[in-house]
Amino acid sequence: AAVQATVEPPDSNAELARRVLPTLKLPARRLRLARQGLATAEQREASCRESQAATEVEVRTRLAGQDEADLPAAVERVGRLAAQLRRRVALDERLDEIDRQQEGLDEQIRELLEQQILSISAIVVLGGLFIVGVTMMLSSFWFPETVLGGLGKAFALLGVLGTAASGVLKFLLERATTTRLDSCRKQLDTLTQQALEAKAERNALDRELPQGGGPLTRRLQEAERELEALERLLPLDTQRH
């Protein structure tokens, strides 16, 4: 009878379960979420370690062929090299352009020197104008007034104007040619000075740049690609430190 008194009835166990289970759902849910968060954090940590390891390998690989031990110094050196090569290529292009301009100016100077000697057509026109002017001017003295009538003074005036016009035209033609010739020579002197300065700068860059490596354009492309690759690693290298 005593044993029977200690055993709880089934209805009492069910009632206890109904009261306890709701209180355990929230802690159980929190525990499950905590476990999930822990698993996610562990995955992220593993991913970060893998990424950091990969970054370490890539940085070491990139620095293996460099003289510097750290990435910022390598970026600075390669950037300076790319700038020097870029300037060196630009100087070659500038010197080629100066050569073309000098050839054009030399041709213009030759043509202007030839134009200083009046062409046959210009000599015929100016000479004809001068002769007609002189003839008209002298005709007013040679022919009596009865022949020319009131046109004597007009002939004399037209003759003076024609003679003066031929002289003025000759002077203007020669002056225009001389002015253009002086301008071309000044431009040629300026280009010569620019060429000397560009060649001096090019020689200085050649002394600073590493020898060999192929054409300048190819070396510039390789330096720019290397600089771009190193700059992509800078943010990762900063995070690594």
Side-chain angles (χ1 to χ4, degrees):
V3 174
Q4 292 178 354
T6 60
V7 177
E8 294 183 0
D11 292 341
S12 176
N13 291 335
E15 181 65 24
L16 178 61
R18 282 195 300 268
R19 289 198 307 267
V20 172
L21 286 178
T23 61
L24 296 177
K25 287 182 179 180
L26 182 58
R29 183 172 179 274
R30 290 177 178 175
L31 179 60
R32 184 173 62 255
L33 293 176
R35 288 177 176 175
Q36 292 176 353
L38 178 61
T40 302
E42 290 175 348
Q43 291 176 356
R44 290 178 178 175
E45 182 182 2
S47 177
C48 289
R49 285 197 300 268
E50 292 177 359
S51 177
Q52 185 176 2
T55 302
E56 291 277 357
V57 172
E58 188 170 0
V59 170
R60 285 197 300 269
T61 302
R62 285 293 178 182
L63 293 178
Q66 308 294 334
D67 298 331
E68 296 77 13
D70 62 319
L71 188 60
V75 170
E76 182 179 357
R77 185 186 64 81
V78 176
R80 183 170 60 252
L81 175 62
Q84 289 175 328
L85 288 170
R86 197 176 297 115
R87 179 59 181 167
R88 180 64 174 77
V89 172
L91 285 173
D92 278 347
E93 293 175 351
R94 175 58 180 158
L95 286 170
D96 290 341
E97 181 183 356
I98 289 176
D99 287 341
R100 290 192 296 269
Q101 292 178 353
Q102 286 177 329
E103 290 176 0
L105 287 173
D106 287 337
E107 181 65 25
Q108 290 184 37
I109 289 174
R110 285 193 296 269
E111 293 177 357
L112 290 172
L113 288 174
E114 293 174 357
Q115 291 177 12
Q116 282 187 323
I117 302 175
L118 295 177
S119 62
I120 296 177
S121 59
I123 292 174
V124 169
V125 173
L126 293 176
L129 184 61
F130 178 79
I131 293 173
V132 170
V134 171
T135 301
M136 293 180 68
M137 184 174 56
L138 294 178
S139 64
S140 62
F141 299 102
W142 289 343
F143 295 100
E145 188 174 348
T146 55
V147 176
L148 297 176
L151 298 177
K153 293 181 179 180
F155 268 55
L157 179 60
L158 290 175
V160 171
L161 292 176
T163 304
S166 65
V168 170
L169 287 175
K170 181 177 181 296
F171 171 78
L172 292 177
L173 289 173
E174 292 176 346
R175 181 62 181 273
T177 302
T178 302
T179 301
R180 291 176 58 192
L181 187 60
D182 291 341
S183 176
C184 289
R185 284 172 173 167
K186 288 180 181 179
Q187 293 180 43
L188 188 60
D189 291 340
T190 301
L191 289 174
T192 301
Q193 183 62 32
Q194 291 178 358
L196 291 175
E197 294 174 356
K199 288 178 181 178
E201 185 178 357
R202 183 181 64 180
N203 293 335
L205 282 174
D206 286 340
R207 289 190 295 269
E208 296 178 5
L209 289 171
Q211 298 299 318
L216 288 172
T217 53
R218 190 180 70 185
R219 293 168 62 186
L220 175 58
Q221 293 173 355
E222 292 175 353
E224 288 177 340
R225 285 196 297 267
E226 181 68 17
L227 178 61
E228 183 181 357
L230 291 173
E231 287 178 340
R232 284 201 305 267
L233 295 176
L234 275 178
L236 301 177
D237 185 66
T238 302
Q239 296 175 3
R240 182 169 62 95
H241 290 84

